[in-house]
Amino acid sequence: MTSETISAGDGRSVASGRKLFLYLFWTGVGLAIVVALFVFSGLSVADLGAIVVAIPLWFYAVMACLQVAILMMASVKWQIVLGQFPVGGKVLPLGDALAGTTLGALAGHVLPIQVVTPMTRAWVARPHQISTARAVGTSVFEQVPEVVVLLAMGLASTLVLVAQLGPLESGIAALAVGLIVISLIAPIFRLLCHFSNWASGHLPEMVANVTAIIVRALDQAASFPKRVFFQLLGFSFLRYISMVVLNVGAISVLVPDADVHSLALVYPLVLLIISLPFIPGGLGVLEVTWTGVLVGQGLGAVEA
């Protein structure tokens, strides 16, 4: 065994040790936040135990699988974007892409997830000779289809609320809006490019420089093959649906009398609020938003 082989093996061991440390660190931070929320909420251990026992085990399994699927789809999307900037560029293995995404999700409990995820992904990508600028840029761009889907579903929810449609009609409306967005995604990207270009001329120099980078990325994205658009938007829609099922499903199990249809319609607003880049993972804001929705459905403030 050569010294180069030993050095490479030692490097991989150190990198694996760092990943494990970060996993444990951010998991500990997340648990500490949960404990703090538990203490300040005034719940007793008996109350918490009653809530936990009341939820069937199969539901925990389903929720865990959904969470893994949400992280996995985000990782695959990042791989797709990495392969387009530049075309045929080096792409991380799925396991490492998932590691960077998961670390970002864990860190997102205490820091804005839109900021910290590109950073954790860049850290994981370094051993693969992927520059920090490319890792961060592609991570930011990977979130653009998510924003498009969120706005589309917000529009669908608004139309449903105005027209007072039922659950079946709501699903059809959401599907119709989704198909329209997918079919018009290339023009939408060009429109975003023109808007960003216009905005860069009316912003301070530092912000304008960042906007110029976004403009170049959007301009290049407008020429993506259609299959890439379909893949990115398809995974984004699947992620959105999974998040709706995860959040609304959890609330409906804890609060059986909650109106699932209304919860699903208001979810775009909830997701928009917790996605604001200056809110650490929606901490506190998420709970307050859902509490307001449940109180609006007639649930007591303490129970909500």
Side-chain angles (χ1 to χ4, degrees):
M1 182 178 295
T2 65
S3 59
E4 289 82 1
T5 304
I6 295 175
S7 298
D10 291 342
R12 285 192 293 270
S13 298
V14 171
S16 298
R18 288 177 178 174
K19 287 181 185 178
L20 177 61
F21 171 77
L22 281 178
Y23 275 125
L24 294 176
F25 174 76
W26 288 115
T27 300
V29 170
L31 290 175
I33 292 173
V34 171
V35 171
L37 289 174
F38 170 72
V39 171
F40 288 112
S41 67
L43 284 173
S44 66
V45 176
D47 293 334
L48 181 62
I51 294 173
V52 172
V53 172
I55 300 175
L57 289 177
W58 65 263
F59 184 79
Y60 287 112
V62 170
M63 293 296 102
C65 291
L66 272 176
Q67 188 63 63
V68 171
I70 289 170
L71 293 171
M72 187 75 73
M73 286 186 282
S75 304
V76 172
K77 284 174 57 194
W78 184 38
Q79 285 185 309
I80 294 172
V81 176
L82 275 170
Q84 298 297 318
F85 288 100
V87 176
K90 189 170 185 179
V91 178
L92 268 73
L94 180 58
D96 288 335
L98 180 60
T101 304
T102 304
L103 285 172
L106 290 171
H109 289 293
V110 291
L111 297 169
I113 193 169
Q114 294 82 2
V115 176
V116 73
T117 297
M119 295 169 59
T120 58
R121 283 175 167 178
W123 180 79
V124 171
R126 283 177 59 192
H128 297 275
Q129 289 75 53
I130 293 177
S131 68
T132 299
R134 182 171 169 234
V136 171
T138 52
S139 294
V140 172
F141 183 83
E142 179 260 322
Q143 298 175 28
V144 173
E146 302 272 333
V147 175
V148 173
V149 169
L150 174 59
L151 295 177
M153 292 300 96
L155 174 61
S157 294
T158 302
L159 293 175
V160 168
L161 289 171
V162 171
Q164 298 182 342
L165 301 179
L168 179 60
E169 293 85 354
S170 299
I172 295 174
L175 179 61
V177 171
L179 291 175
I180 292 172
V181 169
I182 290 177
S183 62
L184 297 177
I185 188 59
I188 288 175
F189 267 82
R190 283 193 288 270
L191 182 62
L192 288 173
C193 181
H194 291 314
F195 174 77
S196 300
N197 198 17
W198 171 84
S200 64
H202 297 77
L203 295 172
E205 183 178 355
M206 182 178 296
V207 180
N209 291 336
V210 176
T211 307
I213 297 174
I214 297 175
V215 169
R216 288 196 295 269
L218 289 172
D219 186 52
Q220 182 176 341
S223 61
F224 280 179
K226 287 186 178 180
R227 62 175 178 80
V228 174
F229 282 126
F230 291 154
Q231 289 171 345
L232 292 175
L233 276 178
F235 280 120
S236 295
F237 273 112
L238 287 175
R239 270 175 50 84
Y240 178 84
I241 293 170
S242 299
M243 288 188 287
V244 171
V245 173
L246 181 68
N247 286 270
V248 175
I251 293 175
S252 64
V253 169
L254 293 171
V255 188
D257 294 333
D259 185 348
V260 174
H261 182 224
S262 297
L263 293 177
L265 289 178
V266 81
Y267 185 71
L269 175 61
V270 175
L271 184 58
L272 175 62
I273 292 174
I274 66 175
S275 296
L276 296 176
F278 49 84
I279 296 177
L283 187 59
V285 177
L286 173 62
E287 290 75 13
V288 170
T289 305
W290 278 126
T291 298
V293 173
L294 292 172
V295 169
Q297 292 188 7
L299 199 67
V302 176
E303 185 181 359

